[in-house]
Amino acid sequence: MKQRFLVFISLMFSIGCMANFSYAATVGNSLDLDIPNRSAILRDEAVNGTLDEYEQAIRLKGSIDLEFMSDKKLHVTNELSKAKLEGQWHMAKFGMTIVNRVEPYIKIGTSDLEASWKNMPQEIAMDADSGFAWGGGLKAVIWEFENIGLRITADGQYRTTEPDVGSISVSKVSIKDTGAKFKIDEWQAGLFLSKKFEIPLKWQSIYVVPYTGAVYADSNADVSFEDPANPDIDYTLFDGNNKKLYGIVLGIDVMPNLNSAFTYNLELRFVDETALSLGGAMKF
């Protein structure tokens, strides 16, 4: 148990060092289901080839997702304009890889988000407190072209948060409403094409899995409040959703060596949002 704790703390520290460079949600981390292919807890047995069949068939993974969302534009009614979401998600992700083909996973963490929009001449901003967030998803290998080493992987996930509202302003005038609502639901599905490569270096080889794909992503922003001075005005996003529903993803998984229990991930996202994310995963 002590060894497991120390290894997990090492992962936390490694990902924490990259937090300032992380933007938006990850699809990978890691995309390829069979890496890392060694266990941090059972490394000696793995190196010696003594893992039993159950260990090879079912593997547990843990990772940290530090996500910074910048300027996510929302589709709203004609009365509103320039609606967007900004902020951060801090999520711990736990998954179970089954025979290197299917990986259900859950996410638990916090959100720190802000919504803003224009209602005719008024500029409105709602800043939510840090709140509990959770989600889950499923990743699966759809097809593998063994002769050329290409793999098609599908991923679908859902995430939600409903924090308390910390502050509200209308044209920079502070508003008090203890009944304000701030609930965000997000979901996405995508298909990705990947290929594993070995890069020989002088001291050792590293293993990389570049991937690309397309995602369908949407959200529901149930955000509203009341102004006691103007009770007849509706201050709400009317369940705004993503302005662009499709995106392109480019990413890469990196494993330092064949015996490593850690995988690091870099991912770029375009069209639906411009985003960069860094992450890491560890096999238990």
Side-chain angles (χ1 to χ4, degrees), residues 108-157:
I108 300 174
T110 63
S111 67
D112 187 2
L113 304 175
E114 178 182 350
S116 61
W117 69 95
K118 292 189 70 174
N119 187 352
M120 299 303 183
Q122 297 177 316
E123 295 184 356
I124 302 165
M126 292 183 66
D127 189 3
D129 293 333
S130 179
F132 176 72
W134 65 273
L138 180 69
K139 195 178 296 184
V141 176
I142 302 300
W143 193 261
E144 189 164 7
F145 303 91
E146 296 184 359
N147 293 335
I148 56 178
L150 292 176
R151 175 179 289 183
I152 298 176
T153 304
D155 176 76
Q157 57 180 288

mmCIF file of all heavy atoms in Angstrom, residues 108-157:
data_model
loop_
_atom_site.group_PDB
_atom_site.id
_atom_site.type_symbol
_atom_site.label_atom_id
_atom_site.label_comp_id
_atom_site.label_asym_id
_atom_site.label_seq_id
_atom_site.Cartn_x
_atom_site.Cartn_y
_atom_site.Cartn_z
ATOM 1 N N ILE A 108 -13.827 12.453 -11.390
ATOM 2 C CA ILE A 108 -14.299 13.149 -10.196
ATOM 3 C C ILE A 108 -13.356 14.312 -9.922
ATOM 4 O O ILE A 108 -12.133 14.145 -9.968
ATOM 5 C CB ILE A 108 -14.342 12.210 -8.976
ATOM 6 C CG1 ILE A 108 -15.274 11.032 -9.238
ATOM 7 C CG2 ILE A 108 -14.800 12.961 -7.736
ATOM 8 C CD1 ILE A 108 -15.254 9.991 -8.146
ATOM 9 N N GLY A 109 -13.908 15.494 -9.637
ATOM 10 C CA GLY A 109 -13.047 16.636 -9.366
ATOM 11 C C GLY A 109 -13.837 17.895 -9.084
ATOM 12 O O GLY A 109 -14.916 17.850 -8.491
ATOM 13 N N THR A 110 -13.296 19.019 -9.542
ATOM 14 C CA THR A 110 -13.927 20.315 -9.293
ATOM 15 C C THR A 110 -13.944 21.144 -10.571
ATOM 16 O O THR A 110 -13.176 20.910 -11.505
ATOM 17 C CB THR A 110 -13.183 21.107 -8.197
ATOM 18 O OG1 THR A 110 -11.840 21.384 -8.643
ATOM 19 C CG2 THR A 110 -13.144 20.327 -6.891
ATOM 20 N N SER A 111 -14.816 22.147 -10.585
ATOM 21 C CA SER A 111 -14.878 23.109 -11.688
ATOM 22 C C SER A 111 -14.753 24.515 -11.123
ATOM 23 O O SER A 111 -15.086 24.771 -9.966
ATOM 24 C CB SER A 111 -16.204 22.974 -12.442
ATOM 25 O OG SER A 111 -17.292 23.367 -11.608
ATOM 26 N N ASP A 112 -14.278 25.431 -11.949
ATOM 27 C CA ASP A 112 -14.189 26.853 -11.595
ATOM 28 C C ASP A 112 -14.490 27.628 -12.874
ATOM 29 O O ASP A 112 -13.590 27.911 -13.665
ATOM 30 C CB ASP A 112 -12.794 27.180 -11.054
ATOM 31 C CG ASP A 112 -12.708 28.609 -10.516
ATOM 32 O OD1 ASP A 112 -13.736 29.313 -10.542
ATOM 33 O OD2 ASP A 112 -11.617 29.017 -10.081
ATOM 34 N N LEU A 113 -15.750 27.983 -13.094
ATOM 35 C CA LEU A 113 -16.215 28.467 -14.383
ATOM 36 C C LEU A 113 -16.827 29.860 -14.294
ATOM 37 O O LEU A 113 -17.240 30.313 -13.228
ATOM 38 C CB LEU A 113 -17.255 27.496 -14.961
ATOM 39 C CG LEU A 113 -16.819 26.043 -15.108
ATOM 40 C CD1 LEU A 113 -17.988 25.191 -15.573
ATOM 41 C CD2 LEU A 113 -15.649 25.917 -16.069
ATOM 42 N N GLU A 114 -16.907 30.497 -15.454
ATOM 43 C CA GLU A 114 -17.517 31.826 -15.577
ATOM 44 C C GLU A 114 -18.296 31.896 -16.883
ATOM 45 O O GLU A 114 -17.824 31.425 -17.929
ATOM 46 C CB GLU A 114 -16.444 32.914 -15.558
ATOM 47 C CG GLU A 114 -16.994 34.323 -15.732
ATOM 48 C CD GLU A 114 -15.910 35.384 -15.770
ATOM 49 O OE1 GLU A 114 -14.749 35.046 -15.463
ATOM 50 O OE2 GLU A 114 -16.226 36.552 -16.114
ATOM 51 N N ALA A 115 -19.483 32.459 -16.835
ATOM 52 C CA ALA A 115 -20.311 32.683 -18.019
ATOM 53 C C ALA A 115 -20.483 34.177 -18.242
ATOM 54 O O ALA A 115 -20.623 34.944 -17.283
ATOM 55 C CB ALA A 115 -21.669 32.010 -17.869
ATOM 56 N N SER A 116 -20.484 34.585 -19.512
ATOM 57 C CA SER A 116 -20.693 36.001 -19.826
ATOM 58 C C SER A 116 -21.476 36.113 -21.126
ATOM 59 O O SER A 116 -21.382 35.251 -22.002
ATOM 60 C CB SER A 116 -19.360 36.751 -19.923
ATOM 61 O OG SER A 116 -18.554 36.211 -20.954
ATOM 62 N N TRP A 117 -22.266 37.174 -21.256
ATOM 63 C CA TRP A 117 -23.029 37.418 -22.469
ATOM 64 C C TRP A 117 -23.506 38.861 -22.480
ATOM 65 O O TRP A 117 -23.377 39.587 -21.493
ATOM 66 C CB TRP A 117 -24.190 36.443 -22.592
ATOM 67 C CG TRP A 117 -25.309 36.607 -21.602
ATOM 68 C CD1 TRP A 117 -26.475 37.294 -21.751
ATOM 69 C CD2 TRP A 117 -25.389 36.019 -20.282
ATOM 70 N NE1 TRP A 117 -27.267 37.183 -20.637
ATOM 71 C CE2 TRP A 117 -26.630 36.404 -19.727
ATOM 72 C CE3 TRP A 117 -24.538 35.220 -19.527
ATOM 73 C CZ2 TRP A 117 -27.034 36.015 -18.450
ATOM 74 C CZ3 TRP A 117 -24.943 34.830 -18.265
ATOM 75 C CH2 TRP A 117 -26.167 35.218 -17.739
ATOM 76 N N LYS A 118 -24.072 39.260 -23.611
ATOM 77 C CA LYS A 118 -24.650 40.593 -23.749
ATOM 78 C C LYS A 118 -26.142 40.461 -23.972
ATOM 79 O O LYS A 118 -26.591 39.663 -24.801
ATOM 80 C CB LYS A 118 -24.011 41.359 -24.910
ATOM 81 C CG LYS A 118 -22.555 41.730 -24.687
ATOM 82 C CD LYS A 118 -22.044 42.677 -25.769
ATOM 83 C CE LYS A 118 -22.665 44.046 -25.647
ATOM 84 N NZ LYS A 118 -22.091 45.029 -26.597
ATOM 85 N N ASN A 119 -26.911 41.244 -23.230
ATOM 86 C CA ASN A 119 -28.361 41.308 -23.385
ATOM 87 C C ASN A 119 -28.695 42.731 -23.820
ATOM 88 O O ASN A 119 -28.834 43.630 -22.989
ATOM 89 C CB ASN A 119 -29.049 40.952 -22.065
ATOM 90 C CG ASN A 119 -30.556 40.831 -22.215
ATOM 91 O OD1 ASN A 119 -31.117 41.149 -23.260
ATOM 92 N ND2 ASN A 119 -31.221 40.369 -21.171
ATOM 93 N N MET A 120 -28.781 42.902 -25.147
ATOM 94 C CA MET A 120 -28.894 44.238 -25.741
ATOM 95 C C MET A 120 -27.684 45.081 -25.293
ATOM 96 O O MET A 120 -26.558 44.668 -25.472
ATOM 97 C CB MET A 120 -30.241 44.868 -25.376
ATOM 98 C CG MET A 120 -31.428 44.075 -25.886
ATOM 99 S SD MET A 120 -31.374 43.836 -27.684
ATOM 100 C CE MET A 120 -32.928 42.957 -27.935
ATOM 101 N N PRO A 121 -27.862 46.218 -24.637
ATOM 102 C CA PRO A 121 -26.676 47.015 -24.281
ATOM 103 C C PRO A 121 -25.979 46.527 -23.009
ATOM 104 O O PRO A 121 -24.877 46.985 -22.696
ATOM 105 C CB PRO A 121 -27.257 48.423 -24.072
ATOM 106 C CG PRO A 121 -28.647 48.184 -23.580
ATOM 107 C CD PRO A 121 -29.118 46.947 -24.301
ATOM 108 N N GLN A 122 -26.604 45.624 -22.261
ATOM 109 C CA GLN A 122 -26.049 45.225 -20.971
ATOM 110 C C GLN A 122 -25.013 44.107 -21.121
ATOM 111 O O GLN A 122 -25.237 43.126 -21.830
ATOM 112 C CB GLN A 122 -27.170 44.756 -20.032
ATOM 113 C CG GLN A 122 -28.176 45.845 -19.684
ATOM 114 C CD GLN A 122 -29.300 45.315 -18.813
ATOM 115 O OE1 GLN A 122 -29.831 44.241 -19.065
ATOM 116 N NE2 GLN A 122 -29.662 46.069 -17.782
ATOM 117 N N GLU A 123 -23.894 44.249 -20.439
ATOM 118 C CA GLU A 123 -22.859 43.216 -20.386
ATOM 119 C C GLU A 123 -22.989 42.462 -19.064
ATOM 120 O O GLU A 123 -22.903 43.062 -17.992
ATOM 121 C CB GLU A 123 -21.468 43.840 -20.510
ATOM 122 C CG GLU A 123 -21.233 44.509 -21.858
ATOM 123 C CD GLU A 123 -19.811 45.039 -21.992
ATOM 124 O OE1 GLU A 123 -19.047 44.940 -21.007
ATOM 125 O OE2 GLU A 123 -19.480 45.546 -23.072
ATOM 126 N N ILE A 124 -23.185 41.158 -19.151
ATOM 127 C CA ILE A 124 -23.499 40.342 -17.981
ATOM 128 C C ILE A 124 -22.382 39.336 -17.740
ATOM 129 O O ILE A 124 -21.876 38.718 -18.690
ATOM 130 C CB ILE A 124 -24.837 39.608 -18.178
ATOM 131 C CG1 ILE A 124 -25.957 40.627 -18.435
ATOM 132 C CG2 ILE A 124 -25.165 38.723 -16.980
ATOM 133 C CD1 ILE A 124 -27.216 40.024 -18.986
ATOM 134 N N ALA A 125 -22.011 39.147 -16.478
ATOM 135 C CA ALA A 125 -20.980 38.170 -16.109
ATOM 136 C C ALA A 125 -21.412 37.458 -14.836
ATOM 137 O O ALA A 125 -21.850 38.087 -13.874
ATOM 138 C CB ALA A 125 -19.629 38.854 -15.900
ATOM 139 N N MET A 126 -21.298 36.131 -14.850
ATOM 140 C CA MET A 126 -21.572 35.309 -13.669
ATOM 141 C C MET A 126 -20.346 34.449 -13.386
ATOM 142 O O MET A 126 -19.914 33.669 -14.234
ATOM 143 C CB MET A 126 -22.794 34.411 -13.887
ATOM 144 C CG MET A 126 -24.101 35.155 -13.993
ATOM 145 S SD MET A 126 -25.522 34.013 -14.168
ATOM 146 C CE MET A 126 -25.510 33.174 -12.582
ATOM 147 N N ASP A 127 -19.794 34.612 -12.197
ATOM 148 C CA ASP A 127 -18.605 33.872 -11.793
ATOM 149 C C ASP A 127 -19.013 32.851 -10.736
ATOM 150 O O ASP A 127 -19.464 33.221 -9.649
ATOM 151 C CB ASP A 127 -17.550 34.831 -11.243
ATOM 152 C CG ASP A 127 -16.216 34.144 -11.006
ATOM 153 O OD1 ASP A 127 -16.102 32.942 -11.316
ATOM 154 O OD2 ASP A 127 -15.290 34.807 -10.516
ATOM 155 N N ALA A 128 -18.865 31.559 -11.055
ATOM 156 C CA ALA A 128 -19.252 30.507 -10.125
ATOM 157 C C ALA A 128 -18.110 30.192 -9.164
ATOM 158 O O ALA A 128 -16.930 30.335 -9.493
ATOM 159 C CB ALA A 128 -19.647 29.241 -10.886
ATOM 160 N N ASP A 129 -18.477 29.750 -7.969
ATOM 161 C CA ASP A 129 -17.482 29.265 -7.022
ATOM 162 C C ASP A 129 -16.932 27.921 -7.500
ATOM 163 O O ASP A 129 -17.502 27.273 -8.382
ATOM 164 C CB ASP A 129 -18.106 29.083 -5.631
ATOM 165 C CG ASP A 129 -18.508 30.407 -5.000
ATOM 166 O OD1 ASP A 129 -17.884 31.437 -5.337
ATOM 167 O OD2 ASP A 129 -19.450 30.409 -4.181
ATOM 168 N N SER A 130 -15.837 27.495 -6.891
ATOM 169 C CA SER A 130 -15.323 26.155 -7.156
ATOM 170 C C SER A 130 -16.343 25.144 -6.646
ATOM 171 O O SER A 130 -16.805 25.223 -5.504
ATOM 172 C CB SER A 130 -13.977 25.950 -6.461
ATOM 173 O OG SER A 130 -13.482 24.646 -6.704
ATOM 174 N N GLY A 131 -16.730 24.196 -7.508
ATOM 175 C CA GLY A 131 -17.779 23.248 -7.144
ATOM 176 C C GLY A 131 -17.457 21.836 -7.583
ATOM 177 O O GLY A 131 -16.565 21.602 -8.412
ATOM 178 N N PHE A 132 -18.197 20.890 -7.038
ATOM 179 C CA PHE A 132 -17.997 19.479 -7.346
ATOM 180 C C PHE A 132 -18.380 19.192 -8.797
ATOM 181 O O PHE A 132 -19.373 19.702 -9.305
ATOM 182 C CB PHE A 132 -18.839 18.613 -6.407
ATOM 183 C CG PHE A 132 -18.768 17.138 -6.698
ATOM 184 C CD1 PHE A 132 -17.621 16.417 -6.415
ATOM 185 C CD2 PHE A 132 -19.855 16.479 -7.260
ATOM 186 C CE1 PHE A 132 -17.551 15.052 -6.679
ATOM 187 C CE2 PHE A 132 -19.800 15.117 -7.521
ATOM 188 C CZ PHE A 132 -18.637 14.410 -7.233
ATOM 189 N N ALA A 133 -17.573 18.376 -9.458
ATOM 190 C CA ALA A 133 -17.838 17.968 -10.838
ATOM 191 C C ALA A 133 -17.602 16.469 -10.967
ATOM 192 O O ALA A 133 -16.754 15.897 -10.279
ATOM 193 C CB ALA A 133 -16.932 18.727 -11.809
ATOM 194 N N TRP A 134 -18.355 15.836 -11.828
ATOM 195 C CA TRP A 134 -18.174 14.408 -12.050
ATOM 196 C C TRP A 134 -18.551 14.068 -13.488
ATOM 197 O O TRP A 134 -19.194 14.846 -14.188
ATOM 198 C CB TRP A 134 -19.024 13.583 -11.080
ATOM 199 C CG TRP A 134 -20.510 13.737 -11.269
ATOM 200 C CD1 TRP A 134 -21.321 14.682 -10.725
ATOM 201 C CD2 TRP A 134 -21.349 12.931 -12.111
ATOM 202 N NE1 TRP A 134 -22.615 14.512 -11.150
ATOM 203 C CE2 TRP A 134 -22.672 13.444 -11.992
ATOM 204 C CE3 TRP A 134 -21.128 11.822 -12.929
ATOM 205 C CZ2 TRP A 134 -23.741 12.883 -12.687
ATOM 206 C CZ3 TRP A 134 -22.197 11.266 -13.619
ATOM 207 C CH2 TRP A 134 -23.491 11.801 -13.483
ATOM 208 N N GLY A 135 -18.126 12.907 -13.917
ATOM 209 C CA GLY A 135 -18.437 12.467 -15.266
ATOM 210 C C GLY A 135 -18.009 11.026 -15.473
ATOM 211 O O GLY A 135 -17.546 10.354 -14.555
ATOM 212 N N GLY A 136 -18.157 10.565 -16.679
ATOM 213 C CA GLY A 136 -17.775 9.199 -17.015
ATOM 214 C C GLY A 136 -17.800 9.000 -18.505
ATOM 215 O O GLY A 136 -18.278 9.853 -19.265
ATOM 216 N N GLY A 137 -17.262 7.867 -18.931
ATOM 217 C CA GLY A 137 -17.236 7.604 -20.357
ATOM 218 C C GLY A 137 -16.799 6.193 -20.673
ATOM 219 O O GLY A 137 -16.556 5.370 -19.785
ATOM 220 N N LEU A 138 -16.678 5.921 -21.960
ATOM 221 C CA LEU A 138 -16.272 4.606 -22.445
ATOM 222 C C LEU A 138 -15.391 4.792 -23.671
ATOM 223 O O LEU A 138 -15.736 5.532 -24.590
ATOM 224 C CB LEU A 138 -17.499 3.762 -22.805
ATOM 225 C CG LEU A 138 -17.217 2.351 -23.336
ATOM 226 C CD1 LEU A 138 -16.656 1.470 -22.219
ATOM 227 C CD2 LEU A 138 -18.486 1.730 -23.917
ATOM 228 N N LYS A 139 -14.257 4.105 -23.652
ATOM 229 C CA LYS A 139 -13.320 4.119 -24.774
ATOM 230 C C LYS A 139 -13.195 2.684 -25.286
ATOM 231 O O LYS A 139 -13.114 1.740 -24.495
ATOM 232 C CB LYS A 139 -11.968 4.634 -24.302
ATOM 233 C CG LYS A 139 -11.015 5.048 -25.404
ATOM 234 C CD LYS A 139 -9.735 5.595 -24.801
ATOM 235 C CE LYS A 139 -10.011 6.863 -24.003
ATOM 236 N NZ LYS A 139 -8.760 7.461 -23.489
ATOM 237 N N ALA A 140 -13.200 2.493 -26.608
ATOM 238 C CA ALA A 140 -13.160 1.137 -27.154
ATOM 239 C C ALA A 140 -12.440 1.113 -28.493
ATOM 240 O O ALA A 140 -12.545 2.054 -29.290
ATOM 241 C CB ALA A 140 -14.578 0.587 -27.319
ATOM 242 N N VAL A 141 -11.705 0.029 -28.738
ATOM 243 C CA VAL A 141 -11.068 -0.198 -30.035
ATOM 244 C C VAL A 141 -12.131 -0.733 -30.989
ATOM 245 O O VAL A 141 -12.736 -1.779 -30.734
ATOM 246 C CB VAL A 141 -9.896 -1.188 -29.917
ATOM 247 C CG1 VAL A 141 -9.319 -1.492 -31.300
ATOM 248 C CG2 VAL A 141 -8.819 -0.628 -29.003
ATOM 249 N N ILE A 142 -12.357 -0.020 -32.093
ATOM 250 C CA ILE A 142 -13.361 -0.419 -33.065
ATOM 251 C C ILE A 142 -12.795 -1.383 -34.093
ATOM 252 O O ILE A 142 -13.404 -2.390 -34.442
ATOM 253 C CB ILE A 142 -13.955 0.815 -33.767
ATOM 254 C CG1 ILE A 142 -14.578 1.765 -32.719
ATOM 255 C CG2 ILE A 142 -14.997 0.405 -34.794
ATOM 256 C CD1 ILE A 142 -15.689 1.150 -31.906
ATOM 257 N N TRP A 143 -11.591 -1.074 -34.572
ATOM 258 C CA TRP A 143 -10.972 -1.926 -35.600
ATOM 259 C C TRP A 143 -9.470 -1.730 -35.571
ATOM 260 O O TRP A 143 -8.984 -0.632 -35.269
ATOM 261 C CB TRP A 143 -11.529 -1.587 -36.985
ATOM 262 C CG TRP A 143 -11.178 -2.610 -38.031
ATOM 263 C CD1 TRP A 143 -10.171 -2.546 -38.949
ATOM 264 C CD2 TRP A 143 -11.841 -3.854 -38.267
ATOM 265 N NE1 TRP A 143 -10.153 -3.663 -39.730
ATOM 266 C CE2 TRP A 143 -11.186 -4.499 -39.333
ATOM 267 C CE3 TRP A 143 -12.930 -4.486 -37.662
ATOM 268 C CZ2 TRP A 143 -11.572 -5.735 -39.829
ATOM 269 C CZ3 TRP A 143 -13.328 -5.724 -38.151
ATOM 270 C CH2 TRP A 143 -12.651 -6.338 -39.217
ATOM 271 N N GLU A 144 -8.734 -2.791 -35.909
ATOM 272 C CA GLU A 144 -7.282 -2.703 -35.948
ATOM 273 C C GLU A 144 -6.779 -3.323 -37.233
ATOM 274 O O GLU A 144 -7.116 -4.470 -37.568
ATOM 275 C CB GLU A 144 -6.668 -3.420 -34.746
ATOM 276 C CG GLU A 144 -5.183 -3.182 -34.592
ATOM 277 C CD GLU A 144 -4.662 -3.555 -33.219
ATOM 278 O OE1 GLU A 144 -5.437 -4.135 -32.428
ATOM 279 O OE2 GLU A 144 -3.480 -3.260 -32.945
ATOM 280 N N PHE A 145 -5.971 -2.547 -37.981
ATOM 281 C CA PHE A 145 -5.360 -3.033 -39.209
ATOM 282 C C PHE A 145 -3.964 -3.554 -38.858
ATOM 283 O O PHE A 145 -2.978 -2.801 -38.852
ATOM 284 C CB PHE A 145 -5.273 -1.908 -40.247
ATOM 285 C CG PHE A 145 -6.604 -1.287 -40.570
ATOM 286 C CD1 PHE A 145 -7.072 -0.184 -39.859
ATOM 287 C CD2 PHE A 145 -7.401 -1.816 -41.567
ATOM 288 C CE1 PHE A 145 -8.294 0.395 -40.152
ATOM 289 C CE2 PHE A 145 -8.631 -1.243 -41.868
ATOM 290 C CZ PHE A 145 -9.075 -0.143 -41.164
ATOM 291 N N GLU A 146 -3.875 -4.840 -38.558
ATOM 292 C CA GLU A 146 -2.647 -5.402 -38.012
ATOM 293 C C GLU A 146 -1.482 -5.318 -38.990
ATOM 294 O O GLU A 146 -0.327 -5.152 -38.576
ATOM 295 C CB GLU A 146 -2.882 -6.854 -37.590
ATOM 296 C CG GLU A 146 -3.894 -6.987 -36.450
ATOM 297 C CD GLU A 146 -4.050 -8.416 -35.989
ATOM 298 O OE1 GLU A 146 -3.374 -9.296 -36.581
ATOM 299 O OE2 GLU A 146 -4.834 -8.652 -35.051
ATOM 300 N N ASN A 147 -1.743 -5.438 -40.288
ATOM 301 C CA ASN A 147 -0.645 -5.431 -41.268
ATOM 302 C C ASN A 147 0.067 -4.093 -41.341
ATOM 303 O O ASN A 147 1.271 -4.036 -41.601
ATOM 304 C CB ASN A 147 -1.187 -5.807 -42.656
ATOM 305 C CG ASN A 147 -1.662 -7.244 -42.718
ATOM 306 O OD1 ASN A 147 -1.203 -8.083 -41.940
ATOM 307 N ND2 ASN A 147 -2.579 -7.530 -43.632
ATOM 308 N N ILE A 148 -0.661 -3.006 -41.109
ATOM 309 C CA ILE A 148 -0.045 -1.674 -41.204
ATOM 310 C C ILE A 148 0.021 -0.974 -39.850
ATOM 311 O O ILE A 148 0.526 0.143 -39.756
ATOM 312 C CB ILE A 148 -0.788 -0.790 -42.227
ATOM 313 C CG1 ILE A 148 -2.277 -0.694 -41.874
ATOM 314 C CG2 ILE A 148 -0.609 -1.344 -43.633
ATOM 315 C CD1 ILE A 148 -3.063 0.210 -42.804
ATOM 316 N N GLY A 149 -0.526 -1.597 -38.806
ATOM 317 C CA GLY A 149 -0.394 -1.057 -37.453
ATOM 318 C C GLY A 149 -1.323 0.096 -37.121
ATOM 319 O O GLY A 149 -1.106 0.790 -36.129
ATOM 320 N N LEU A 150 -2.368 0.308 -37.909
ATOM 321 C CA LEU A 150 -3.314 1.392 -37.638
ATOM 322 C C LEU A 150 -4.458 0.878 -36.763
ATOM 323 O O LEU A 150 -4.863 -0.287 -36.866
ATOM 324 C CB LEU A 150 -3.870 1.964 -38.934
ATOM 325 C CG LEU A 150 -2.891 2.738 -39.824
ATOM 326 C CD1 LEU A 150 -3.577 3.161 -41.113
ATOM 327 C CD2 LEU A 150 -2.336 3.943 -39.092
ATOM 328 N N ARG A 151 -4.989 1.765 -35.928
ATOM 329 C CA ARG A 151 -6.065 1.394 -35.026
ATOM 330 C C ARG A 151 -7.125 2.496 -35.014
ATOM 331 O O ARG A 151 -6.807 3.678 -34.985
ATOM 332 C CB ARG A 151 -5.526 1.172 -33.616
ATOM 333 C CG ARG A 151 -6.584 0.905 -32.576
ATOM 334 C CD ARG A 151 -5.970 0.675 -31.208
ATOM 335 N NE ARG A 151 -5.276 -0.604 -31.121
ATOM 336 C CZ ARG A 151 -4.713 -1.061 -30.013
ATOM 337 N NH1 ARG A 151 -4.736 -0.327 -28.906
ATOM 338 N NH2 ARG A 151 -4.129 -2.233 -29.996
ATOM 339 N N ILE A 152 -8.401 2.095 -35.031
ATOM 340 C CA ILE A 152 -9.523 3.025 -34.910
ATOM 341 C C ILE A 152 -10.126 2.863 -33.519
ATOM 342 O O ILE A 152 -10.516 1.758 -33.125
ATOM 343 C CB ILE A 152 -10.591 2.769 -35.984
ATOM 344 C CG1 ILE A 152 -9.989 2.977 -37.384
ATOM 345 C CG2 ILE A 152 -11.778 3.703 -35.789
ATOM 346 C CD1 ILE A 152 -10.964 2.656 -38.511
ATOM 347 N N THR A 153 -10.189 3.963 -32.784
ATOM 348 C CA THR A 153 -10.704 3.956 -31.409
ATOM 349 C C THR A 153 -11.862 4.932 -31.289
ATOM 350 O O THR A 153 -11.824 6.028 -31.861
ATOM 351 C CB THR A 153 -9.601 4.351 -30.413
ATOM 352 O OG1 THR A 153 -8.481 3.475 -30.578
ATOM 353 C CG2 THR A 153 -10.091 4.266 -28.976
ATOM 354 N N ALA A 154 -12.891 4.541 -30.555
ATOM 355 C CA ALA A 154 -14.034 5.409 -30.288
ATOM 356 C C ALA A 154 -14.029 5.813 -28.817
ATOM 357 O O ALA A 154 -13.622 5.040 -27.947
ATOM 358 C CB ALA A 154 -15.340 4.699 -30.621
ATOM 359 N N ASP A 155 -14.484 7.043 -28.552
ATOM 360 C CA ASP A 155 -14.566 7.544 -27.182
ATOM 361 C C ASP A 155 -15.842 8.355 -27.026
ATOM 362 O O ASP A 155 -16.161 9.203 -27.862
ATOM 363 C CB ASP A 155 -13.356 8.421 -26.848
ATOM 364 C CG ASP A 155 -13.460 9.045 -25.467
ATOM 365 O OD1 ASP A 155 -13.238 8.326 -24.480
ATOM 366 O OD2 ASP A 155 -13.772 10.251 -25.364
ATOM 367 N N GLY A 156 -16.574 8.086 -25.949
ATOM 368 C CA GLY A 156 -17.746 8.884 -25.620
ATOM 369 C C GLY A 156 -17.726 9.207 -24.139
ATOM 370 O O GLY A 156 -17.407 8.340 -23.317
ATOM 371 N N GLN A 157 -18.044 10.455 -23.779
ATOM 372 C CA GLN A 157 -17.977 10.835 -22.372
ATOM 373 C C GLN A 157 -18.985 11.934 -22.045
ATOM 374 O O GLN A 157 -19.466 12.653 -22.927
ATOM 375 C CB GLN A 157 -16.571 11.284 -22.000
ATOM 376 C CG GLN A 157 -16.016 12.434 -22.823
ATOM 377 C CD GLN A 157 -14.608 12.801 -22.374
ATOM 378 O OE1 GLN A 157 -14.415 13.379 -21.299
ATOM 379 N NE2 GLN A 157 -13.626 12.465 -23.197
#
